[in-house]
Coordinates of all heavy atoms in Angstrom, one line a residue:
M1083 N 26.6 11.6 10.7 CA 25.4 12.3 11.1 C 24.9 13.1 9.8 O 25.7 13.6 9.1 CB 25.8 13.3 12.2 CG 24.7 14.1 12.8 SD 23.7 13.0 13.8 CE 22.3 14.1 14.1
I1084 N 23.7 13.1 9.7 CA 23.1 13.7 8.5 C 22.9 15.2 8.8 O 22.7 15.6 9.9 CB 21.7 13.0 8.2 CG1 21.1 13.5 6.9 CG2 20.7 13.3 9.3 CD1 19.9 12.7 6.5
S1085 N 23.2 16.0 7.8 CA 23.2 17.4 7.9 C 21.8 17.9 8.3 O 20.8 17.3 8.0 CB 23.7 18.1 6.7 OG 22.7 18.0 5.6
I1086 N 21.7 19.1 8.8 CA 20.5 19.8 9.2 C 19.6 20.0 7.9 O 18.4 19.8 8.0 CB 20.7 21.1 9.9 CG1 21.5 20.8 11.2 CG2 19.5 21.8 10.2 CD1 20.8 20.0 12.2
L1087 N 20.3 20.4 6.9 CA 19.5 20.7 5.6 C 18.9 19.4 5.1 O 17.7 19.5 4.7 CB 20.5 21.3 4.6 CG 19.8 21.7 3.2 CD1 18.8 22.8 3.5 CD2 20.9 22.2 2.3
A1088 N 19.6 18.3 5.1 CA 19.0 17.1 4.7 C 17.9 16.6 5.6 O 16.8 16.1 5.1 CB 20.1 16.0 4.6
Q1089 N 18.0 16.8 6.9 CA 17.0 16.5 7.8 C 15.7 17.3 7.6 O 14.6 16.8 7.6 CB 17.4 16.8 9.3 CG 18.4 15.7 9.8 CD 18.9 16.1 11.2 OE1 18.4 17.0 11.8 NE2 19.8 15.3 11.7
E1090 N 15.9 18.6 7.3 CA 14.8 19.5 7.0 C 14.1 19.1 5.7 O 12.8 19.1 5.6 CB 15.2 20.9 6.9 CG 15.6 21.6 8.2 CD 16.1 23.0 8.1 OE1 16.3 23.4 6.9 OE2 16.2 23.7 9.1
R1091 N 14.9 18.7 4.7 CA 14.3 18.2 3.5 C 13.5 16.9 3.7 O 12.4 16.7 3.1 CB 15.3 18.0 2.4 CG 15.9 19.4 1.9 CD 16.9 19.1 0.8 NE 17.4 20.4 0.3 CZ 18.4 20.6 -0.5 NH1 19.0 19.5 -0.9 NH2 18.7 21.8 -0.9
L1092 N 14.1 16.0 4.4 CA 13.4 14.7 4.7 C 12.1 15.0 5.5 O 11.0 14.4 5.2 CB 14.3 13.8 5.5 CG 15.4 13.1 4.6 CD1 16.3 12.3 5.6 CD2 14.8 12.2 3.6
L1093 N 12.1 15.9 6.5 CA 10.9 16.2 7.2 C 9.9 16.8 6.4 O 8.7 16.5 6.4 CB 11.3 17.1 8.4 CG 10.1 17.5 9.3 CD1 9.5 16.3 10.0 CD2 10.6 18.6 10.3
G1094 N 10.3 17.7 5.5 CA 9.4 18.4 4.6 C 8.7 17.4 3.6 O 7.5 17.5 3.3
A1095 N 9.6 16.5 3.1 CA 9.0 15.5 2.2 C 8.0 14.6 2.9 O 7.0 14.2 2.4 CB 10.1 14.7 1.6
A1096 N 8.4 14.2 4.1 CA 7.5 13.3 4.9 C 6.2 14.0 5.2 O 5.1 13.4 5.0 CB 8.2 12.8 6.2
L1097 N 6.2 15.2 5.7 CA 5.0 16.0 6.0 C 4.2 16.3 4.8 O 3.0 16.2 4.8 CB 5.4 17.3 6.8 CG 5.9 17.1 8.2 CD1 6.4 18.5 8.7 CD2 5.0 16.4 9.1
G1098 N 4.9 16.6 3.7 CA 4.2 16.8 2.4 C 3.4 15.6 2.0 O 2.3 15.6 1.5
S1099 N 4.1 14.4 2.1 CA 3.5 13.2 1.7 C 2.3 12.9 2.5 O 1.2 12.4 2.0 CB 4.5 12.0 1.8 OG 5.6 12.2 0.9
V1100 N 2.4 13.1 3.8 CA 1.3 12.8 4.7 C 0.1 13.8 4.4 O -1.1 13.3 4.3 CB 1.7 13.0 6.2 CG1 0.5 13.0 7.1 CG2 2.6 11.8 6.6
F1101 N 0.4 15.0 4.2 CA -0.6 16.0 3.9 C -1.3 15.6 2.5 O -2.6 15.6 2.4 CB 0.0 17.4 3.8 CG -1.0 18.4 3.4 CD1 -2.0 18.9 4.3 CD2 -1.0 19.0 2.1 CE1 -2.9 19.8 4.0 CE2 -2.0 20.0 1.8 CZ -2.9 20.4 2.7
A1102 N -0.5 15.3 1.5 CA -1.1 14.9 0.3 C -2.0 13.6 0.4 O -3.1 13.5 -0.2 CB 0.0 14.6 -0.8
G1103 N -1.5 12.7 1.2 CA -2.3 11.5 1.4 C -3.6 11.8 2.1 O -4.7 11.2 1.7
V1104 N -3.6 12.7 3.1 CA -4.9 13.0 3.8 C -5.8 13.7 2.8 O -7.0 13.4 2.8 CB -4.6 13.9 5.0 CG1 -5.8 14.6 5.5 CG2 -3.9 13.1 6.1
V1105 N -5.3 14.6 2.0 CA -6.1 15.3 1.0 C -6.8 14.4 0.0 O -8.0 14.4 -0.3 CB -5.3 16.4 0.3 CG1 -6.1 17.0 -0.9 CG2 -5.0 17.5 1.2
V1106 N -6.0 13.4 -0.5 CA -6.5 12.4 -1.5 C -7.5 11.6 -0.8 O -8.6 11.3 -1.4 CB -5.3 11.6 -2.0 CG1 -5.8 10.4 -2.8 CG2 -4.5 12.5 -2.9
F1107 N -7.3 11.1 0.4 CA -8.2 10.3 1.2 C -9.5 11.0 1.4 O -10.6 10.4 1.1 CB -7.6 9.8 2.5 CG -8.6 9.0 3.3 CD1 -8.8 7.7 3.0 CD2 -9.2 9.6 4.4 CE1 -9.7 7.0 3.7 CE2 -10.1 8.8 5.2 CZ -10.3 7.5 4.8
E1108 N -9.5 12.3 1.8 CA -10.7 13.0 2.0 C -11.5 13.3 0.7 O -12.7 13.2 0.7 CB -10.4 14.4 2.7 CG -9.9 14.2 4.1 CD -11.0 13.6 5.0 OE1 -12.2 13.9 4.8 OE2 -10.6 12.9 5.9
Q1109 N -10.8 13.5 -0.4 CA -11.4 13.7 -1.7 C -12.1 12.4 -2.1 O -13.2 12.5 -2.6 CB -10.4 14.2 -2.7 CG -9.9 15.6 -2.5 CD -11.0 16.6 -2.7 OE1 -11.8 16.5 -3.7 NE2 -11.1 17.6 -1.9
R1110 N -11.4 11.3 -2.0 CA -12.0 10.0 -2.4 C -13.3 9.7 -1.5 O -14.3 9.2 -2.0 CB -11.0 8.9 -2.3 CG -9.9 9.0 -3.3 CD -9.0 7.9 -3.3 NE -9.7 6.7 -3.7 CZ -9.2 5.6 -4.1 NH1 -7.9 5.5 -4.0 NH2 -9.9 4.5 -4.4
K1111 N -13.2 10.0 -0.2 CA -14.3 9.8 0.7 C -15.5 10.7 0.3 O -16.6 10.2 0.3 CB -13.8 10.1 2.1 CG -14.8 9.6 3.2 CD -14.3 9.6 4.6 CE -14.1 11.0 5.1 NZ -13.7 11.1 6.5
S1112 N -15.2 11.9 0.0 CA -16.4 12.8 -0.4 C -16.9 12.4 -1.7 O -18.1 12.4 -1.9 CB -15.9 14.2 -0.4 OG -15.0 14.5 -1.4
L1113 N -16.1 11.9 -2.6 CA -16.6 11.5 -3.9 C -17.4 10.2 -3.8 O -18.5 10.1 -4.4 CB -15.4 11.2 -4.9 CG -15.7 10.7 -6.3 CD1 -16.4 11.8 -7.0 CD2 -14.4 10.3 -7.0
H1114 N -17.0 9.3 -3.0 CA -17.7 8.1 -2.7 C -19.1 8.4 -2.1 O -20.1 7.9 -2.4 CB -17.0 7.1 -1.8 CG -17.7 5.9 -1.5 ND1 -18.0 4.9 -2.4 CD2 -18.2 5.5 -0.3 CE1 -18.7 4.0 -1.8 NE2 -18.8 4.3 -0.5
R1115 N -19.1 9.4 -1.1 CA -20.3 9.7 -0.4 C -21.3 10.4 -1.4 O -22.5 10.1 -1.4 CB -20.0 10.7 0.7 CG -21.2 11.0 1.5 CD -20.9 12.0 2.7 NE -19.7 11.6 3.4 CZ -18.7 12.4 3.6 NH1 -18.6 13.6 3.0 NH2 -17.6 12.0 4.3
S1116 N -20.8 11.2 -2.3 CA -21.7 11.9 -3.3 C -22.3 10.9 -4.3 O -23.4 11.0 -4.7 CB -21.0 13.0 -4.0 OG -20.0 12.5 -4.8
I1117 N -21.5 9.9 -4.7 CA -22.0 8.9 -5.6 C -23.0 8.1 -4.9 O -24.0 7.8 -5.5 CB -20.8 8.1 -6.2 CG1 -19.9 8.9 -7.1 CG2 -21.3 6.8 -6.9 CD1 -18.7 8.2 -7.5
S1118 N -22.7 7.7 -3.7 CA -23.7 6.8 -3.0 C -25.0 7.5 -2.7 O -26.1 6.9 -2.6 CB -23.1 6.2 -1.8 OG -22.8 7.2 -0.8
E1119 N -24.9 8.8 -2.5 CA -26.2 9.6 -2.3 C -27.0 9.8 -3.5 O -28.2 9.8 -3.5 CB -25.8 11.0 -1.7 CG -25.3 10.9 -0.3 CD -24.8 12.3 0.2 OE1 -24.8 13.2 -0.6 OE2 -24.5 12.4 1.4
N1120 N -26.3 9.9 -4.7 CA -27.0 10.2 -5.9 C -27.6 8.9 -6.6 O -28.5 9.0 -7.4 CB -26.1 10.9 -6.9 CG -25.8 12.3 -6.5 OD1 -26.7 12.9 -5.8 ND2 -24.7 12.8 -6.8
Y1121 N -27.0 7.8 -6.3 CA -27.4 6.5 -6.9 C -27.8 5.6 -5.8 O -27.0 4.9 -5.2 CB -26.3 5.9 -7.7 CG -25.9 6.8 -8.9 CD1 -24.8 7.6 -8.9 CD2 -26.7 6.8 -10.0 CE1 -24.5 8.4 -10.0 CE2 -26.4 7.6 -11.1 CZ -25.3 8.4 -11.1 OH -25.0 9.1 -12.2
P1122 N -29.1 5.4 -5.6 CA -29.6 4.5 -4.5 C -29.2 3.1 -4.9 O -29.1 2.8 -6.1 CB -31.1 4.7 -4.4 CG -31.4 5.3 -5.7 CD -30.2 6.1 -6.2
P1123 N -29.0 2.2 -4.0 CA -28.7 0.8 -4.3 C -29.8 0.1 -5.1 O -31.0 0.3 -4.8 CB -28.5 0.2 -2.9 CG -29.2 1.0 -1.9 CD -29.2 2.4 -2.5
T1124 N -29.4 -0.6 -6.0 CA -30.3 -1.4 -6.8 C -30.4 -2.8 -6.2 O -30.0 -3.0 -5.1 CB -29.8 -1.5 -8.3 OG1 -28.5 -2.0 -8.3 CG2 -29.8 -0.1 -8.9
T1125 N -30.8 -3.8 -7.0 CA -30.8 -5.1 -6.5 C -29.5 -5.6 -6.1 O -28.4 -5.1 -6.6 CB -31.4 -6.1 -7.6 OG1 -30.6 -6.0 -8.7 CG2 -32.8 -5.6 -8.0
Q1126 N -29.4 -6.6 -5.3 CA -28.2 -7.1 -4.8 C -27.4 -7.8 -6.0 O -27.9 -8.5 -6.8 CB -28.4 -8.2 -3.7 CG -28.8 -7.6 -2.4 CD -28.9 -8.6 -1.4 OE1 -28.9 -9.8 -1.7 NE2 -28.8 -8.2 -0.1
S1127 N -26.1 -7.5 -6.0 CA -25.2 -8.1 -7.0 C -24.9 -9.5 -6.5 O -24.8 -9.8 -5.3 CB -24.0 -7.2 -7.2 OG -23.3 -7.2 -6.0
P1128 N -24.6 -10.4 -7.5 CA -24.3 -11.7 -7.1 C -22.9 -11.8 -6.3 O -22.0 -11.0 -6.6 CB -24.1 -12.5 -8.4 CG -23.9 -11.4 -9.4 CD -24.6 -10.2 -8.9
V1129 N -22.8 -12.7 -5.4 CA -21.6 -12.8 -4.6 C -20.5 -13.5 -5.4 O -20.8 -14.5 -6.0 CB -21.9 -13.6 -3.3 CG1 -20.6 -13.8 -2.5 CG2 -23.0 -12.9 -2.5
R1130 N -19.4 -12.8 -5.5 CA -18.3 -13.4 -6.3 C -17.5 -14.3 -5.4 O -17.3 -14.1 -4.2 CB -17.4 -12.3 -6.8 CG -18.0 -11.3 -7.7 CD -17.1 -10.3 -8.2 NE -17.7 -9.3 -9.0 CZ -17.1 -8.2 -9.4 NH1 -15.9 -8.0 -9.1 NH2 -17.8 -7.4 -10.2
K1131 N -16.9 -15.3 -6.1 CA -16.0 -16.3 -5.4 C -14.7 -15.6 -5.3 O -14.3 -14.8 -6.1 CB -15.9 -17.6 -6.2 CG -17.2 -18.4 -6.3 CD -17.1 -19.5 -7.2 CE -16.2 -20.6 -6.6 NZ -16.2 -21.8 -7.4
P1132 N -13.9 -15.9 -4.2 CA -12.6 -15.3 -4.1 C -11.7 -15.7 -5.2 O -11.8 -16.9 -5.7 CB -12.1 -15.8 -2.7 CG -13.1 -16.8 -2.3 CD -14.3 -16.7 -3.1
V1133 N -10.8 -14.8 -5.6 CA -9.9 -15.1 -6.7 C -8.9 -16.3 -6.3 O -8.7 -17.2 -7.0 CB -9.1 -13.9 -7.0 CG1 -8.0 -14.2 -8.1 CG2 -10.0 -12.8 -7.5
L1134 N -8.4 -16.2 -5.0 CA -7.5 -17.2 -4.5 C -8.3 -18.1 -3.6 O -8.8 -17.6 -2.6 CB -6.3 -16.6 -3.8 CG -5.4 -15.8 -4.7 CD1 -4.4 -15.1 -3.9 CD2 -4.8 -16.6 -5.8
A1135 N -8.4 -19.4 -3.9 CA -9.1 -20.3 -3.0 C -8.3 -20.5 -1.8 O -7.1 -20.2 -1.7 CB -9.4 -21.6 -3.7
K1136 N -9.0 -21.1 -0.7 CA -8.3 -21.3 0.5 C -7.1 -22.4 0.4 O -6.2 -22.3 1.1 CB -9.2 -21.8 1.6 CG -10.1 -20.7 2.1 CD -11.0 -21.2 3.2 CE -11.9 -20.0 3.7 NZ -12.7 -20.4 4.8
K1137 N -7.3 -23.3 -0.6 CA -6.2 -24.3 -0.8 C -4.9 -23.6 -1.3 O -3.9 -24.0 -0.8 CB -6.7 -25.2 -1.9 CG -7.6 -26.3 -1.4 CD -7.7 -27.2 -2.6 CE -8.6 -28.3 -2.7 NZ -8.7 -29.0 -3.9
S1138 N -5.0 -22.7 -2.2 CA -3.8 -22.1 -2.7 C -3.3 -21.0 -1.9 O -2.2 -20.4 -2.2 CB -4.1 -21.5 -4.1 OG -5.0 -20.5 -4.1
G1139 N -3.9 -20.6 -0.8 CA -3.4 -19.6 0.1 C -2.0 -19.8 0.6 O -1.1 -19.0 0.4
P1140 N -1.7 -21.0 1.2 CA -0.3 -21.2 1.7 C 0.7 -21.3 0.6 O 1.8 -20.9 0.7 CB -0.4 -22.5 2.5 CG -1.9 -22.7 2.8 CD -2.6 -22.0 1.8
E1141 N 0.3 -21.9 -0.6 CA 1.2 -22.0 -1.7 C 1.5 -20.6 -2.2 O 2.7 -20.3 -2.6 CB 0.5 -22.9 -2.8 CG 0.3 -24.3 -2.4 CD -0.6 -25.0 -3.4 OE1 -1.0 -24.4 -4.4 OE2 -1.0 -26.2 -3.1
F1142 N 0.5 -19.8 -2.4 CA 0.7 -18.4 -2.8 C 1.6 -17.6 -1.9 O 2.5 -16.9 -2.3 CB -0.6 -17.7 -3.0 CG -0.5 -16.3 -3.5 CD1 -0.1 -16.0 -4.8 CD2 -0.7 -15.2 -2.6 CE1 0.0 -14.7 -5.2 CE2 -0.5 -13.9 -3.0 CZ -0.2 -13.7 -4.3
S1143 N 1.4 -17.8 -0.6 CA 2.2 -17.0 0.3 C 3.6 -17.5 0.3 O 4.6 -16.7 0.4 CB 1.6 -17.1 1.8 OG 1.6 -18.5 2.2
H1144 N 3.8 -18.8 0.1 CA 5.2 -19.3 0.0 C 5.9 -18.8 -1.2 O 7.1 -18.3 -1.2 CB 5.2 -20.8 0.0 CG 6.5 -21.5 -0.1 ND1 7.5 -21.4 0.9 CD2 7.1 -22.1 -1.2 CE1 8.6 -22.0 0.5 NE2 8.4 -22.5 -0.7
L1145 N 5.2 -18.8 -2.4 CA 5.8 -18.2 -3.6 C 6.0 -16.7 -3.4 O 7.1 -16.2 -3.9 CB 4.8 -18.5 -4.8 CG 4.7 -19.9 -5.2 CD1 3.7 -20.0 -6.3 CD2 6.1 -20.4 -5.8
W1146 N 5.1 -16.0 -2.8 CA 5.3 -14.6 -2.6 C 6.6 -14.3 -1.7 O 7.4 -13.5 -2.0 CB 4.1 -14.0 -1.9 CG 4.2 -12.6 -1.5 CD1 4.6 -12.1 -0.3 CD2 4.0 -11.4 -2.4 NE1 4.6 -10.7 -0.4 CE2 4.3 -10.3 -1.6 CE3 3.7 -11.3 -3.7 CZ2 4.2 -9.0 -2.2 CZ3 3.6 -10.0 -4.2 CH2 3.9 -8.9 -3.5
N1147 N 6.7 -15.1 -0.6 CA 7.9 -14.9 0.3 C 9.2 -15.2 -0.5 O 10.2 -14.5 -0.3 CB 7.7 -15.7 1.5 CG 6.6 -15.2 2.4 OD1 6.3 -14.0 2.4 ND2 6.1 -16.1 3.3
R1148 N 9.2 -16.2 -1.3 CA 10.4 -16.6 -2.0 C 10.7 -15.5 -3.0 O 11.9 -15.1 -3.2 CB 10.2 -17.9 -2.8 CG 10.4 -19.1 -1.9 CD 10.4 -20.4 -2.6 NE 11.1 -20.4 -3.9 CZ 10.8 -21.2 -4.9 NH1 9.9 -22.1 -4.7 NH2 11.5 -21.1 -6.0
A1149 N 9.7 -14.9 -3.7 CA 10.0 -13.8 -4.7 C 10.5 -12.6 -4.0 O 11.5 -12.0 -4.5 CB 8.7 -13.5 -5.4
I1150 N 10.0 -12.3 -2.8 CA 10.5 -11.1 -2.1 C 11.9 -11.3 -1.6 O 12.7 -10.4 -1.7 CB 9.5 -10.8 -0.9 CG1 8.2 -10.3 -1.3 CG2 10.1 -9.8 0.1 CD1 8.2 -9.1 -2.1
D1151 N 12.2 -12.5 -1.1 CA 13.5 -12.9 -0.7 C 14.5 -12.8 -1.8 O 15.6 -12.2 -1.6 CB 13.6 -14.3 0.0 CG 12.9 -14.3 1.3 OD1 12.7 -13.3 1.9 OD2 12.6 -15.4 1.8
Q1152 N 14.2 -13.3 -3.0 CA 15.1 -13.2 -4.1 C 15.2 -11.8 -4.6 O 16.3 -11.4 -5.1 CB 14.5 -14.1 -5.2 CG 14.7 -15.6 -5.0 CD 14.1 -16.4 -6.1 OE1 13.5 -15.9 -7.0 NE2 14.2 -17.7 -5.9
T1153 N 14.2 -11.0 -4.5 CA 14.3 -9.6 -5.0 C 15.1 -8.7 -4.1 O 15.9 -8.0 -4.5 CB 12.8 -9.0 -5.2 OG1 12.1 -9.9 -6.1 CG2 12.9 -7.6 -5.8
F1154 N 14.7 -8.7 -2.8 CA 15.3 -7.8 -1.9 C 16.5 -8.4 -1.1 O 17.1 -7.7 -0.3 CB 14.3 -7.3 -0.9 CG 13.3 -6.4 -1.6 CD1 12.0 -6.8 -1.7 CD2 13.6 -5.2 -2.1 CE1 11.0 -6.1 -2.4 CE2 12.7 -4.4 -2.8 CZ 11.4 -4.8 -2.9
G1155 N 16.8 -9.7 -1.3 CA 17.9 -10.3 -0.6 C 19.3 -9.6 -0.8 O 19.9 -9.2 0.2
P1156 N 19.7 -9.2 -2.0 CA 20.9 -8.5 -2.2 C 20.9 -7.1 -1.5 O 22.0 -6.7 -1.0 CB 21.1 -8.4 -3.7 CG 20.2 -9.5 -4.2 CD 19.1 -9.7 -3.3
V1157 N 19.8 -6.5 -1.6 CA 19.7 -5.1 -1.0 C 19.9 -5.2 0.6 O 20.6 -4.4 1.2 CB 18.4 -4.5 -1.3 CG1 18.2 -3.1 -0.6 CG2 18.2 -4.3 -2.8
I1158 N 19.3 -6.2 1.2 CA 19.4 -6.4 2.6 C 20.8 -6.8 3.0 O 21.4 -6.3 4.0 CB 18.4 -7.5 3.1 CG1 17.0 -6.9 2.9 CG2 18.6 -7.9 4.5 CD1 15.9 -8.0 3.1
Q1159 N 21.4 -7.6 2.2 CA 22.8 -8.0 2.5 C 23.7 -6.8 2.3 O 24.7 -6.6 3.1 CB 23.3 -9.1 1.5 CG 22.7 -10.4 1.8 CD 23.1 -11.5 0.8 OE1 23.7 -11.2 -0.2 NE2 22.7 -12.8 1.1
A1160 N 23.5 -5.9 1.3 CA 24.3 -4.7 1.2 C 24.2 -3.8 2.4 O 25.2 -3.3 2.9 CB 24.0 -4.0 -0.1
F1161 N 23.0 -3.6 2.9 CA 22.7 -2.8 4.0 C 23.4 -3.4 5.3 O 23.9 -2.6 6.1 CB 21.3 -2.5 4.2 CG 20.7 -1.5 3.3 CD1 19.4 -1.6 2.9 CD2 21.4 -0.4 2.9 CE1 18.8 -0.6 2.0 CE2 20.9 0.6 2.1 CZ 19.6 0.5 1.7
S1162 N 23.2 -4.7 5.4 CA 23.7 -5.3 6.7 C 25.3 -5.3 6.6 O 25.9 -5.2 7.7 CB 23.2 -6.7 6.8 OG 23.6 -7.5 5.7
S1163 N 25.9 -5.4 5.5 CA 27.3 -5.3 5.4 C 27.9 -3.9 5.8 O 29.0 -3.8 6.2 CB 27.8 -5.7 4.0 OG 27.5 -4.7 3.1
R1164 N 27.0 -2.9 5.6 CA 27.5 -1.5 5.9 C 27.1 -1.2 7.4 O 27.5 -0.1 7.8 CB 26.7 -0.5 5.0 CG 27.2 -0.6 3.6 CD 26.5 0.4 2.7 NE 26.9 0.3 1.3 CZ 26.7 1.2 0.4 NH1 26.1 2.3 0.7 NH2 27.1 1.0 -0.8
G1165 N 26.4 -2.1 8.0 CA 26.2 -1.8 9.4 C 24.8 -1.1 9.7 O 24.6 -0.6 10.8
W1166 N 23.9 -1.2 8.8 CA 22.6 -0.5 8.9 C 21.7 -1.4 9.6 O 21.3 -2.4 9.6 CB 22.1 0.0 7.6 CG 22.8 1.2 7.1 CD1 24.0 1.6 7.4 CD2 22.2 2.1 6.1 NE1 24.3 2.7 6.7 CE2 23.3 3.1 5.9 CE3 21.1 2.2 5.5 CZ2 23.1 4.1 5.0 CZ3 20.9 3.3 4.6 CH2 21.9 4.2 4.4

């Protein structure tokens, strides 16, 4: 069982992180709003092609999953051996 002091610290860290995230989000939202109000839209920008084409989507996801498995595989095995 985790001690009360550790629980309070974890709760404080979690609440502090949530509060900081909300503050940052609101600041970014107000900054975006003020920029969009001060600079009216100009002519339409050209549409960009996606970086990853639809063909390479499954290949990329397969490579991504393999990289994650290789990176976090030992950590997951260590946790599962301890019963977590």
Side-chain angles (χ1 to χ4, degrees):
M1083 185 72 188
I1084 190 169
S1085 71
I1086 299 294
L1087 183 60
Q1089 288 178 3
E1090 288 177 350
R1091 287 182 179 172
L1092 285 172
L1093 179 63
L1097 291 176
S1099 298
V1100 168
F1101 179 73
V1104 167
V1105 168
V1106 168
F1107 177 74
E1108 290 297 324
Q1109 289 293 319
R1110 291 185 68 164
K1111 191 167 69 171
S1112 67
L1113 180 64
H1114 177 69
R1115 187 180 311 121
S1116 68
I1117 289 173
S1118 64
E1119 289 172 355
N1120 290 332
Y1121 295 103
T1124 58
T1125 61
Q1126 286 185 340
S1127 61
V1129 177
R1130 296 182 185 173
K1131 293 173 71 175
V1133 175
L1134 297 172
K1136 288 186 179 182
K1137 279 186 183 173
S1138 65
E1141 296 166 3
F1142 178 74
S1143 62
H1144 179 69
L1145 290 174
W1146 175 263
N1147 289 336
R1148 280 187 40 206
I1150 293 298
D1151 288 342
Q1152 289 177 356
T1153 303
F1154 293 111
V1157 174
I1158 293 170
Q1159 288 176 352
F1161 281 146
S1162 63
S1163 70
R1164 294 183 183 193
W1166 286 25

